[in-house]
Amino acid sequence: MIRYRFELYPLDEVSPWGSDQPRLHWFGLTEGWYWLEASGQELLCRTREVHPHPYIDYYLARLWEDVIVLTPEVLEPVPDDLQPFIASDPAQWTCDPLEFVAEPDEERTDDGNADVPDHPVVTAAIWHGEHHLDLGYLRNPPKLRFWRTTRGDRDEITMDWRHKDDGEIGFTADPAVRTSVPTTAYLEAVHTLNRELMDAMGQRVEELERRGGLPGVDLDLVGLRREHEDRRHWLAKNLDRSPKTDWNVVRQGARLLLGDVQRADAPTG
């Protein structure tokens, strides 16, 4: 089982943006808190937190957007021979991908052609990173990755959680958690998050329309309704997107990053 859980702050407790002229918009109206439940684990629950809701206190729109953008990459099955690479931690890699990124002032050998592909190491590192749920807006953020494995009757999403308590920011989950759920369960969790947030925000928009806005807050009700109707289609549009992964290039880069020199030098078919 996997489920994104959240609560929104009551409408009158939402914090307007700006001090001189307070304003609100769709994103700001999603202020609340959230966490993740997976295979009996409760993730994103903080330690040393005196708040009655010791979860991530932020805007649900950010989580929702990041989950939607991440999902097409997560649903792309990872080939068997790349399983060791996708399961690896960048701290284990034998080289730094940044060493293969040309500096802007370096002499180029491609005549400035912007279509020249990145080095395979860079391509592989980017592909690996595209399986991370972005939590970089948090202090001492955890690392949370998802990838798909299909083999025989097995079709599942692996979830990998890593976090190092710095003595100030910590979470109740173990420092390292790796678990798997059926791909259908992962996809249902994404659809449920989308449906529940769209329903909650639809009710919020209707209430604001009835109330004529919020006292002292600049709020474009027509624009708010228009944006809400547009966001209702974001998930479907993203699920129609298919990653165009060049597996041969990712393999080349992965072999270098994992230090498999012999295989990296071998001819590819």
Side-chain angles (χ1 to χ4, degrees), residues 46-55:
R46 293 188 185 275
T47 58
R48 309 182 190 91
E49 180 62 68
V50 297
H51 195 281
H53 310 292
Y55 303 107

Side-chain angles (χ1 to χ4, degrees), residues 1 19 71 76 78 113 134 154 172 217 239 252:
M1 191 277 288
S19 55
T71 294
E76 183 180 42
V78 177
N113 185 355
D134 186 5
R154 175 185 174 195
T172 58
V217 177
L239 291 179
Q252 294 174 40

Side-chain angles (χ1 to χ4, degrees), residues 110-258:
D110 55 26
D111 299 325
N113 185 355
D115 294 328
V116 172
D118 289 324
H119 191 283
V121 163
V122 177
T123 299
I126 291 173
W127 174 80
H128 189 281
E130 286 174 341
H131 291 76
H132 285 252
L133 179 63
D134 186 5
L135 296 169
Y137 50 90
L138 304 177
R139 292 174 56 200
N140 190 24
K143 296 178 181 179
L144 186 56
R145 299 190 298 125
F146 301 86
W147 66 88
R148 185 178 183 182
T149 300
T150 57
R151 189 178 300 149
D153 294 335
R154 175 185 174 195
D155 186 351
E156 59 190 18
I157 302 295
T158 298
M159 184 196 70
D160 186 82
W161 158 279
R162 303 294 171 98
H163 184 261
K164 185 176 181 179
D165 193 324
D166 63 359
E168 184 178 356
I169 303 296
F171 293 91
T172 58
D174 293 337
V177 176
R178 179 171 291 178
T179 187
S180 297
V181 299
T183 297
T184 53
Y186 169 85
L187 193 53
E188 177 59 27
V190 174
H191 280 286
T192 299
L193 170 64
N194 179 71
R195 182 176 61 253
E196 291 181 345
L197 183 59
M198 292 302 104
D199 288 348
M201 286 301 294
Q203 294 172 11
R204 183 152 288 192
V205 171
E206 290 177 1
E207 182 178 351
L208 286 166
E209 289 172 337
R210 288 195 302 268
R211 294 167 57 171
L214 292 173
V217 177
D218 182 9
L219 182 58
D220 179 359
L221 293 177
V222 174
L224 180 64
R225 168 61 68 179
R226 182 170 55 246
E227 181 173 357
H228 178 67
E229 294 304 317
D230 177 67
R231 284 180 179 263
R232 289 178 57 246
H233 302 287
W234 281 25
L235 177 58
K237 290 178 181 178
N238 270 271
L239 291 179
D240 285 340
R241 176 174 61 83
S242 298
K244 296 178 174 58
T245 303
D246 188 330
W247 294 116
N248 286 331
V249 174
V250 173
R251 288 185 175 100
Q252 294 174 40
R255 292 166 187 164
L256 291 169
L257 287 166
L258 294 180

